[in-house]
């Protein structure tokens, strides 16, 4: 313990000693959606939290204070570079401090157990070692900047279906070796200041009440000394939660803590020492972030300022995975002819996954924007080709909107700007002068400048009574009732519904208005309003659109087709049903590829999708959800200014039917992890299934030879040579394969990796640590780790199953 640690500990103990029971209980309950109460009597500021996987939104759903939007966590993991993740974390800490945020509710380190997981874009990988390494880099980076992290969701929240109630039934070995492993690695390697316990149960016990996993494993075995906060609205039992090790129940103001906790102590149901320990953890967090008077913050000097736009652009390119590149189709020569850019997703870019990870960047560079800026004038054409969505979506391009709040008499109480047609106000996130008690209606109003002539559809999403008007004419009035959505998050948003159509003219602005009648919310424990004004542009015959794209492709030297998923395919709150690209996008790719052999397909998705045409095109580039600078990074990579640096952090199946683990829907409330240790590449190898692209796969713009491999019990030393004509970066991956296994392990697993850089003709050597845990299994009889000796084949590989060099290692 350092001198500063001792000072912080002393200040925490003195502060704790000044608090009475009621004040302590109140401190453990959120005072609102995002913060804990200040206690001026002990010099404690209000601790402020914010969502933060890819950007720091802050405490309000608004674009008035824009946020840097980095690429999705799957993209960050695809870079296979903990140091890069640390730089991303430092930028997010910078953003948090600017917005007055003390703690980020990230990273998400649940595993890609099944490709159907709807929120996998917010998680890193199917592999626990890679997840732990990237997560440690992120946590270290954020905390380098003096801002806390909250590693989530502890544990077993690997799917979205019935996530509030599902019982994840996981045997001890896979629980330890797979699902707990990233959390353990991050606690050991980055000492996070926070952990978030999940909604779900694990083996029958709700995670917010899981004394064994929280108090005995997380705190006892691993030595975690941070604070433990519930996922939002996950805390359900006053005594169960505090005895189970939950420190903070969020959000407020009504939670199972506060007065209820004080009463439980007075009734003898909870020892006051349990409350003291939780308060001690909260005060320690406050001391670390500089929110407790007299306690020195862990970081006195913050890192040097970081250019957010530049880093977002670099991160995007570093995470792009070049899946296929026949005959050197990429990079393109910017001066070698025309490029036909095709796909609605090239114009209207989806740069982030959404849900609680949503932020509002100052700008978004679409693929069309990026390539237009990078290519010579007149060399780029654009056609829609196919739209991934045929549903109305929140009003965005061409709309300028604000929300006007009125009382029952029609008098204006206040108004706020809207980044899109979506209103999402939770708790105190209301425009100035507005309260839930006085507000009777909200009008989303403004102008729309159509970019196409024709019949435009307008609609609503949300529950309640609405009135929709366009051009001063009321087109629809009605009520949206509750649907059959199983997840409260999804149900509260409601299903998108088309309400009316009207003919509009390109370039002629029109007034739009959606009035929402605010219901009585006095009985609700958490007050919130969520609804949206939706829009869908004119629909043209899909075959005509594809035919136009084919003609454009035939007339160009190169065709670049951008395909994508939508928020109705991948988002928080629900899982996917299949891995197909929505709409007619597969038909579009096939038609374009038949017309132009030099077709490049850019896939904008947060997790695996089927690519049935992958062998019919010249190149396939995976961009994940690439963040605000994604279009600029795409131009950098396509034109060769930057090498695509990514490697797959999750296996890409050839088709959905090949995915080894597809069960994400509970049966009678239970989700059995019956596959045990065999998820991801472990399962593909065990079942002899060849994926479309294996875990760790990714091409660059140069070639490499693997020259030598030397191994000891703790390291693998690998020498590689860049044999191409360009500088490049290679990710050297080390897999272990037991020669004769008696421990019922997978056939091979990732044990370490390193990125190396070299110029043309240069050789470079890297030493990769082989962690002791790579040779251990969890012994279910002794309840401890057991080392497995014997012979191992050590494989230096470019991807799983693609070893370049092997060596035998005999372990005692």
């Amino acid at each position: 313990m350092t001198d500063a640690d001792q000072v912080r500990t002393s200040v925490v103990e003195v502060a704790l000693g000044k608090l009475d029971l009621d004040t302590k209980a109140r401190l453990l309950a959120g005072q609102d959606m995002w913060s804990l109460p200040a206690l001026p009597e002990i010099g404690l500021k209000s601790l402020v939290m914010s969502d933060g996987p890819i950007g720091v939104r802050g405490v309000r759903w608004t674009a008035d204070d824009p946020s840097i939007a980095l690429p999705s966590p799957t993209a960050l993991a695809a870079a296979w570079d903990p140091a890069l993740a640390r730089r991303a974390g430092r930028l997010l800490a910078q953003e948090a401090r600017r917005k007055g945020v003390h703690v980020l509710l990230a990273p998400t380190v649940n595993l890609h157990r099944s490709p159907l997981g709807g929120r996998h874009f917010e998680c890193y990988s199917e592999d626990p070692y890679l997840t732990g390494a990237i997560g440690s880099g992120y946590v270290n980076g954020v905390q380098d900047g003096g801002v806390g992290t909250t590693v989530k969701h502890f544990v077993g929240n690997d799917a979205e279906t019935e996530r509030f109630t599902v019982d994840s039934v996981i045997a001890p070995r896979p629980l330890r070796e797979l699902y707990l492993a990233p959390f353990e690695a991050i606690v050991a390697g980055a000492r996070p200041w926070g952990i978030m316990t999940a909604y779900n149960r694990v083996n029958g016990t709700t995670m917010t009440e899981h004394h064994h996993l929280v108090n005995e494993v997380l705190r006892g075995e691993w030595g975690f000394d941070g604070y433990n906060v519930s996922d939002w609205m996950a805390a359900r039992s006053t005594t169960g939660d505090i005895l189970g090790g939950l420190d903070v129940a969020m959000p407020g103001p009504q939670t199972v803590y506060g007065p209820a906790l004080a009463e439980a102590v007075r009734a003898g149901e909870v020892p006051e020492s349990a409350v003291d320990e939780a308060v001690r953890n909260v005060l320690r967090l406050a001391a670390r972030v500089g929110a407790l008077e007299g306690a020195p913050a862990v970081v006195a000097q913050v890192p040097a300022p970081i250019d957010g736009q530049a880093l977002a652009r670099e991160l995007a390119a570093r995470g792009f995975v070049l899946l296929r590149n026949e005959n050197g189709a990429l990079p393109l020569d910017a001066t070698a002819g025309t490029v036909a850019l095709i796909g609605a997703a090239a114009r209207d870019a989806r740069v982030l996954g959404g849900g609680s990870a949503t932020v509002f960047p100052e700008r978004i560079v679409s693929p069309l924007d990026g390539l237009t800026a990078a290519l010579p004038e007149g060399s780029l054409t654009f056609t829609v080709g196919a739209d991934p969505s045929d549903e109305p979506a929140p009003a965005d391009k061409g709309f300028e909107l604000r929300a006007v709040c009125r009382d029952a008499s029609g008098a204006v109480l206040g108004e706020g700007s809207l980044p899109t047609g979506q209103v999402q106000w939770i708790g105190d996130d209301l425009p100035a002068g507005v309260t839930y008690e006085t507000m009777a209606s909200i009008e989303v109003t403004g102008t729309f400048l159509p970019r196409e002539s024709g019949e435009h559809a307008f609609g609503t999403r949300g529950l309640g009574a609405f009135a929709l008007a366009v051009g001063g004419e009321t087109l629809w009035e009605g009520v949206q009732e509750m649907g059959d959505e199983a997840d409260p998050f999804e149900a509260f948003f409601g299903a998108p519904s088309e309400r009316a159509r009207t003919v509009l003219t390109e370039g002629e602005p029109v007034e739009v208005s959606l009035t929402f009648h605010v219901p009585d919310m006095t009985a609700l424990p958490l007050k919130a309003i969520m609804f949206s004004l939706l829009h869908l542009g004119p629909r043209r015959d899909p075959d005509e659109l594809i035919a136009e794209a084919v003609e454009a492709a035939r007339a160009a030297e190169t065709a670049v087709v951008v395909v994508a998923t939508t928020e109705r395919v991948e988002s928080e709150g629900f899982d996917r049903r299949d891995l197909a690209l929505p709409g007619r996008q597969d038909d579009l790719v096939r038609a374009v590829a038949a017309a132009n052999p030099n077709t490049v397909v850019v896939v904008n998705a947060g997790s695996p999708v089927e690519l049935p045409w992958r062998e019919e095109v010249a190149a396939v580039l995976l961009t994940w959800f690439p963040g605000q600078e994604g279009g600029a990074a795409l131009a950098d990579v396509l034109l060769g200014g930057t090498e695509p640096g990514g490697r797959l952090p999750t296996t890409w199946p050839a088709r959905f039917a090949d995915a080894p683990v597809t069960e994400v829907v509970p049966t009678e409330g239970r989700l059995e992890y019956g596959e045990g240790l065999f998820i991801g590449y472990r399962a593909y190898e065990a079942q002899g299934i060849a994926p479309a692209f294996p875990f760790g796969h990714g091409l660059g713009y140069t070639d490499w030879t693997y020259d030598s491999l030397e191994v000891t019990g703790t390291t693998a030393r690998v020498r590689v040579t860049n044999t191409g004509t360009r500088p490049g970066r290679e990710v050297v991956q080390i897999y272990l394969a037991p020669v004769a296994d008696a421990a019922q392990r997978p056939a091979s697993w990732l044990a370490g990796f390193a990125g190396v850089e070299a110029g043309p003709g240069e050789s470079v050597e890297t030493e990769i640590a082989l962690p002791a845990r790579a040779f251990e299994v969890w012994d279910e009889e002794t309840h401890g780790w057991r080392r497995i000796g014997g012979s191992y084949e050590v494989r230096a590989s470019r991807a799983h199953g693609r070893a370049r060099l092997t060596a035998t290692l005999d372990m005692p």
Side-chain angles (χ1 to χ4, degrees):
M1 182 178 288
T2 66
D3 291 343
D5 288 331
Q6 291 177 338
V7 172
R8 280 189 290 272
T9 298
S10 298
V11 172
V12 165
E13 292 303 319
V14 170
L16 176 61
K18 294 179 179 178
L19 301 178
D20 61 26
L21 174 61
D22 292 298
T23 305
K24 289 186 289 191
R26 180 162 57 91
L27 178 61
L28 303 181
Q31 67 175 352
D32 53 29
M33 186 67 181
W34 301 112
S35 68
L36 299 182
L39 300 177
E41 62 268 33
I42 60 170
L44 176 66
K45 299 177 183 177
S46 174
L47 283 167
V48 179
M49 309 170 211
S50 171
D51 287 318
I54 59 105
V56 184
R57 187 172 64 249
V59 300
R60 298 196 59 215
W61 190 268
T62 176
D64 292 344
D65 181 14
S67 307
I68 294 291
L70 299 180
S72 65
T74 40
L76 190 61
W80 285 61
D81 189 344
L84 189 66
R86 190 165 193 161
R87 290 173 57 203
R90 287 179 172 177
L91 171 63
L92 294 178
Q94 174 179 294
E95 287 276 282
R97 296 176 77 100
R98 180 175 66 81
K99 289 176 176 258
V101 169
H102 301 105
V103 184
L104 293 187
L105 303 172
T108 303
V109 300
N110 300 107
L111 296 185
H112 296 178
R113 171 179 168 263
S114 165
L116 294 181
R119 201 176 179 181
H120 280 351
F121 60 85
E122 196 179 315
C123 311
Y124 290 130
S125 169
E126 70 187 22
D127 181 78
Y129 182 83
L130 177 60
T131 297
I134 302 302
S136 293
Y138 176 100
V139 168
N140 277 319
V142 173
Q143 295 183 176
D144 284 347
V147 174
T149 55
T150 311
V151 187
K152 62 184 188 182
H153 306 85
F154 188 76
V155 62
N157 180 193
D158 308 294
E160 293 292 279
T161 305
E162 298 180 24
R163 61 178 173 156
F164 285 82
T165 57
V166 64
D167 184 8
S168 298
V169 182
I170 314 173
R173 268 194 73 182
L175 181 60
R176 288 283 188 157
E177 295 181 25
L178 295 180
Y179 302 101
L180 287 172
F183 292 94
E184 182 182 11
I186 293 169
V187 169
R191 297 188 61 80
W193 299 345
I195 291 279
M196 180 187 290
T197 41
Y199 292 118
N200 54 281
R201 292 174 287 162
V202 170
N203 299 330
T205 303
T206 301
M207 276 309 306
T208 55
E209 305 171 35
H210 215 302
H211 175 85
H212 170 61
L213 289 179
V214 173
N215 286 337
E216 295 177 359
V217 176
L218 174 64
R219 294 198 184 279
E221 289 182 30
W222 302 350
F224 172 69
D225 67 353
Y227 90 121
N228 172 19
V229 63
S230 71
D231 203 341
W232 265 226
M233 298 177 286
R236 297 155 210 169
S237 166
T238 300
T239 57
D241 287 333
I242 195 69
L243 296 177
L246 181 71
D247 299 326
V248 174
M250 290 296 289
Q254 296 183 41
T255 78
V256 297
Y257 284 174
L261 180 56
E263 180 57 34
V265 173
R266 293 189 176 102
E269 298 169 359
V270 172
E272 190 167 355
S273 60
V275 177
D276 287 345
E277 188 57 34
V279 172
R280 186 175 287 114
N281 293 332
V282 173
L283 293 177
R284 186 182 299 118
L285 170 67
R288 285 169 164 165
V289 300
L292 182 61
E293 190 175 307
V298 170
V299 176
Q301 177 110 21
V302 299
I306 298 171
D307 183 332
Q309 287 188 2
L311 182 57
R313 186 169 180 165
E314 179 186 353
L315 285 169
R318 287 287 306 277
F320 289 176
V321 180
L322 184 57
L323 296 176
R324 175 179 171 88
N325 193 24
E326 292 300 292
N327 302 316
L330 293 178
L332 305 176
D333 183 346
T335 64
T338 55
V339 174
L341 181 63
I342 298 165
R347 179 186 62 189
D348 301 323
R350 187 183 187 196
V351 301
L352 48 81
S356 59
T358 299
V359 295
F360 304 106
E362 186 174 25
R363 71 173 201 163
I364 290 176
V365 183
S366 69
L368 179 57
D369 296 333
L371 286 169
T372 298
L375 288 169
E377 187 173 354
S379 64
L380 180 71
T381 63
F382 171 73
T383 51
V384 170
D387 197 318
S389 176
D390 58 3
E391 289 185 326
D396 188 3
K397 298 291 188 300
F399 287 85
E400 291 189 10
L401 302 170
R402 65 189 187 280
V404 180
C405 303
R406 296 181 172 90
D407 65 16
S409 72
V412 174
L413 299 171
E415 63 179 69
S417 63
L418 291 178
T420 70
Q422 182 174 346
V423 174
Q424 182 167 308
W425 297 337
I426 305 176
D428 294 334
D429 184 11
L430 294 172
V434 178
T435 67
Y436 290 101
E437 291 73 23
T438 58
M439 180 170 45
S441 69
I442 303 167
E443 183 187 13
V444 173
T445 182
T447 60
F448 171 50
L449 186 67
R451 61 187 179 189
E452 298 169 278
S453 295
E455 191 175 52
H456 290 251
F458 291 85
T460 63
R461 187 179 184 188
L463 304 179
F466 297 92
L468 171 67
V470 178
E473 179 185 355
T474 299
L475 299 182
W476 177 79
E477 286 187 89
V479 177
Q480 172 83 27
E481 304 286 357
M482 176 75 78
D484 60 357
E485 298 86 358
D487 187 276
F489 185 90
E490 187 181 8
F492 198 44
F493 275 106
S497 299
E498 181 179 317
R499 302 301 186 185
R501 296 189 179 192
T502 187
V503 175
L504 301 176
T505 303
E506 177 185 351
E508 292 187 7
V510 63
E511 292 182 359
V512 294
S513 169
L514 177 67
T515 300
F516 171 73
H517 299 284
V518 178
D520 182 2
M521 289 184 283
T522 53
L524 295 179
L526 177 65
K527 295 176 176 59
I529 293 175
M530 296 183 186
F531 70 92
S532 300
L533 167 65
L534 307 181
H535 169 259
L536 184 66
R539 299 289 87 189
R540 292 181 53 201
D541 180 83
D543 291 328
E544 287 184 10
L545 291 174
I546 291 174
E548 282 185 4
V550 167
E551 288 307 307
R554 190 174 284 123
E557 296 293 327
T558 303
V560 176
V561 184
V562 181
V563 296
T565 59
T566 70
E567 66 172 11
R568 297 286 287 169
V569 173
E570 290 184 271
S571 190
E572 181 177 350
F574 58 89
D575 291 311
R576 298 158 72 186
R577 295 184 177 89
D578 56 43
L579 303 182
L581 285 168
R584 295 282 302 280
Q585 295 181 102
D586 287 335
D587 294 338
L588 170 67
V589 171
R590 284 195 163 112
V592 169
N596 188 329
N598 196 27
T599 292
V600 176
V601 183
V602 176
V603 182
N604 187 26
S607 48
V609 292
E610 290 179 338
L611 309 175
W613 33 257
R614 63 190 179 277
E615 295 182 357
E616 301 170 32
V617 300
V620 181
L621 181 69
L622 174 59
T623 62
W624 312 103
F625 298 138
Q628 68 175 61
E629 304 298 316
L634 179 63
D636 293 340
V637 167
L638 291 181
L639 300 178
T642 303
E643 183 181 44
R647 306 293 186 267
L648 286 179
T650 198
T651 305
W652 215 265
R655 55 190 185 134
F656 172 56
D658 291 343
V661 181
T662 58
E663 188 57 70
V664 294
V665 177
T667 301
E668 297 182 350
R670 289 164 56 92
L671 183 59
E672 301 271 358
Y673 286 44
E675 69 282 348
L677 297 172
F678 296 93
I679 66 170
Y681 64 83
R682 295 165 167 83
Y684 282 88
E685 187 170 25
Q687 297 183 26
I689 300 172
F693 303 102
F695 174 81
H697 170 73
L699 307 173
Y701 287 159
T702 189
D703 296 313
W704 299 84
T705 59
Y706 280 54
D707 306 323
S708 63
L709 168 64
E710 300 173 8
V711 298
T712 69
T714 57
T715 61
R717 184 181 295 274
V718 183
R719 185 176 182 83
V720 297
T721 299
N722 180 349
T723 58
T725 59
R726 295 172 50 107
R729 181 176 185 271
E730 174 72 338
V731 178
V732 179
Q733 304 163 38
I734 300 296
Y735 295 88
L736 294 181
V739 174
D741 187 43
Q744 297 181 313
R745 290 175 287 181
S748 62
W749 57 88
L750 181 70
F753 64 90
V756 297
E757 297 180 0
E762 292 182 352
S763 298
V764 63
E765 193 170 79
T766 183
E767 186 171 280
I768 301 171
L770 300 179
R773 181 58 54 79
F775 300 93
E776 296 174 341
V777 300
W778 181 256
D779 191 314
E780 296 184 356
E781 293 184 3
T782 64
H783 307 291
W785 291 99
R786 178 165 60 92
R787 184 179 179 85
I788 306 297
S791 293
Y792 291 83
E793 185 176 77
V794 181
R795 300 170 178 168
S797 306
R798 298 203 71 185
H800 181 258
R802 295 181 179 173
R804 291 298 186 90
L805 294 172
T806 62
T808 300
L809 176 64
D810 293 316
M811 297 294 289

